[in-house]
Amino acid sequence: MLRQPRKILIASHMNPDGDAIGSALALYGYLTAKGHTVSVMIPDPDPSFLWWMPFHDKLMVYQREADRCLEAIRSAELFFAVDFNTLGRLSTAEEPLRSSSATRILIDHHTLPDAAFSLKISYEDISSTSEIIYDFIDASGDREMISREIAECIYAGIVTDTGSFSYSCNHVRTYEILADLFRRGIDGEHIHRLIYDNYSEHRMRLLGYSINEKLVVLGEFHAAYISLTLGELERFRHQVGDTEDIVNFALSVGGVNLAALFYEREDGIVKVSLRSKGNFAVNGIAREYFNGGGHVNAAGANSTRSLSETVATFLDLLPRYRDQLKDVY
């Protein structure tokens, strides 16, 4: 399939995170080096703390550059979907890609990939899609083609999708890959600073407000949540990515085994982020109650109900999980 030069489109999901961008750009770097003509697209903008990444200037944003993206979709022979499991995660780019004649290839680590793909490379027990990209290159016999730039993208994807190695990271293979990435010249400390020590003043003040004014701890259920209205976000000049990781601060409270973040978006959707500790799975909760999905300890959804209704749904389900949340290990 990849032996001859092809026109290829790589796309990742709306509200892209570090793994979405890292896996897409790492694959871009590899396929370009192999001699393919490659375009890479995301539905909407990514956070500014990811803009340092190699090949980032090649990213097209469908929300801003629909004509360019549509041309790339029309000309593509192969379409690689990375870090998402259903075309619905492409937002307004879904229909053009669903109508495309390109062969669809999925590379992902989320549960329940849909039937829209001709080839699925999907492993839900792997830390990140970026790690799967490494294995894909390795299995293709091209490990030596992993440049420092590609390695930086892969590392950024792994470090962000494991919460800086705080979950989904108890796998020997992950650390074997990390060791090889360091051998290829990456600077892990520098990358960490670029991602985690590069917040705007407004983002820091939003974080402080969220913890001081909006954090609700429900000791009876070993749970906590934060909810933010659109007005509150606008007060702190909210930008894409500013709410990233806020939910993890709620989870870091001692005795809290389940944490949630709810915030309003301009389009009326309420974004839901769920985190948990140990063996308590939040992907099932995201899927059953909020039409979302994700991983055992990190999941999310987009709720079409109001903020108050979405929070009420969360509060209503807690008594059902009281015993499980108490006995997390």
Side-chain angles (χ1 to χ4, degrees):
M1 187 179 294
L2 293 173
R3 292 175 183 171
Q4 301 297 324
R6 300 279 194 149
K7 291 183 178 179
I8 297 173
L9 174 64
I10 301 167
S12 197
H13 57 78
M14 60 183 176
N15 303 317
D17 56 12
D19 192 28
I21 302 301
S23 57
L25 294 181
L27 184 59
Y28 170 88
Y30 166 63
L31 293 175
T32 300
K34 291 281 284 184
H36 301 287
T37 301
V38 187
S39 300
V40 59
M41 179 189 81
I42 48 178
D44 49 5
D46 59 325
S48 60
F49 58 82
L50 299 175
W51 294 355
W52 61 270
M53 292 176 67
F55 318 117
H56 192 276
D57 61 328
K58 306 301 181 183
L59 268 177
M60 297 184 296
V61 180
Y62 189 91
Q63 191 179 89
R64 298 172 177 168
E65 309 168 84
D67 289 343
R68 285 186 64 204
C69 293
L70 288 170
E71 178 55 35
I73 292 170
R74 280 192 291 266
S75 63
E77 300 171 82
L78 300 176
F79 165 50
F80 282 86
V82 296
D83 200 41
F84 65 97
N85 59 0
T86 175
L87 293 178
R89 295 281 283 137
L90 290 167
S91 187
T92 52
E94 175 186 358
E95 287 309 315
L97 277 164
R98 198 175 286 279
S99 302
S100 168
S101 61
T103 300
R104 300 175 190 148
I105 303 166
L106 175 70
I107 303 180
D108 184 43
H109 70 140
H110 295 89
T111 58
L112 305 175
D114 71 23
F117 302 96
S118 303
L119 175 63
K120 301 174 189 176
I121 304 172
S122 180
Y123 300 95
E124 62 184 83
D125 57 345
I126 290 182
S127 75
S128 56
T129 300
S130 294
E131 182 175 335
I132 300 175
I133 295 295
Y134 177 97
D135 283 334
F136 175 75
I137 298 172
D138 189 19
S140 299
D142 291 329
R143 185 169 60 177
E144 293 313 308
M145 292 185 69
I146 299 177
S147 63
R148 179 180 58 81
E149 290 79 11
I150 293 172
E152 287 176 342
C153 295
I154 292 172
Y155 183 82
I158 294 174
V159 74
T160 53
D161 233 35
T162 59
S164 199
F165 308 108
S166 61
Y167 51 80
S168 301
C169 58
N170 283 335
H171 306 287
V172 172
R173 176 62 175 166
T174 303
Y175 295 95
E176 291 173 343
I177 290 171
L178 291 171
D180 188 51
L181 299 180
F182 279 100
R183 282 192 288 268
R184 295 176 191 281
I186 69 167
D187 184 337
E189 294 178 8
H190 182 59
I191 292 173
H192 192 279
R193 287 195 296 271
L194 289 171
I195 295 173
Y196 294 106
D197 298 337
N198 199 19
Y199 296 171
S200 70
E201 177 186 347
H202 299 297
R203 180 179 177 177
M204 290 301 294
R205 294 190 183 280
L206 173 62
L207 173 61
Y209 174 78
S210 299
I211 294 172
N212 189 54
E213 302 292 335
K214 302 298 301 219
L215 175 65
V216 178
V217 178
L218 305 164
E220 177 185 1
F221 301 109
H222 300 274
Y225 73 92
I226 293 168
S227 65
L228 295 166
T229 67
L230 183 60
E232 288 170 320
L233 294 175
E234 291 174 342
R235 172 182 167 188
F236 293 96
R237 304 183 191 180
H238 176 260
Q239 301 294 319
V240 173
D242 281 358
T243 54
E244 193 83 15
D245 292 332
I246 287 179
V247 66
N248 293 325
F249 287 90
L251 188 65
S252 68
V253 175
V256 169
N257 295 322
L258 168 64
L261 170 68
F262 309 94
Y263 67 88
E264 293 179 319
R265 297 194 327 210
E266 290 182 356
D267 59 5
I269 296 293
V270 173
K271 178 67 178 176
V272 181
S273 295
L274 301 172
R275 298 292 185 271
S276 66
K277 295 174 183 173
N279 64 329
F280 186 82
V282 289
N283 49 1
I285 290 176
R287 187 165 52 249
E288 181 176 353
Y289 299 102
F290 302 103
N291 194 33
H295 309 292
V296 171
N297 297 122
N302 294 317
S303 172
T304 57
R305 288 166 287 180
S306 69
L307 180 62
S308 60
E309 290 172 331
T310 303
V311 172
T313 298
F314 174 75
L315 296 176
D316 287 344
L317 66 84
L318 291 179
R320 308 174 199 182
Y321 297 98
R322 185 196 311 264
D323 292 340
Q324 293 180 47
L325 286 167
K326 180 180 179 181
D327 297 326
V328 165
Y329 60 87

